[in-house]
């Protein structure tokens, strides 16, 4: 296996672990239009109400995420 593939595989973590890295006050860029990471945002949505002052930057989100309400 090529070096880049091993490096890539070592960086893959579950979405729940990725979301748990985010803390209050962070700024999150989530892409826009057709590159919105839906699975990640759905996982982030579960934690949204526990984050204070966290900004989420994304474009053209149409799903009714809970973080819209905060």
């Amino acid at each position: 296996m090529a070096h880049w593939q091993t490096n890539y595989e070592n960086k893959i973590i579950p979405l729940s672990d990725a979301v748990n890295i985010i803390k209050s006050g962070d700024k999150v860029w989530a892409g826009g239009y057709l590159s919105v990471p839906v699975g990640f945002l759905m996982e982030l949505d579960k934690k949204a109400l526990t984050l204070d002052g966290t900004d989420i930057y994304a474009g053209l989100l149409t799903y009714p995420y809970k973080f819209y309400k905060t």
Side-chain angles (χ1 to χ4, degrees), residues 20-66:
N20 285 329
I21 293 171
I22 299 168
K23 57 192 178 304
S24 292
D26 283 352
K27 296 186 182 339
V28 179
W29 172 252
Y33 198 53
L34 297 176
S35 64
V36 172
V38 175
F40 174 78
L41 290 177
M42 292 182 94
E43 196 65 35
L44 179 60
D45 201 38
K46 296 175 186 176
K47 186 180 176 179
L49 298 178
T50 67
L51 299 171
D52 292 323
T54 300
D55 296 322
I56 301 171
Y57 299 94
L60 196 59
L61 298 179
T62 58
Y63 185 80
Y65 297 105
K66 290 177 193 168

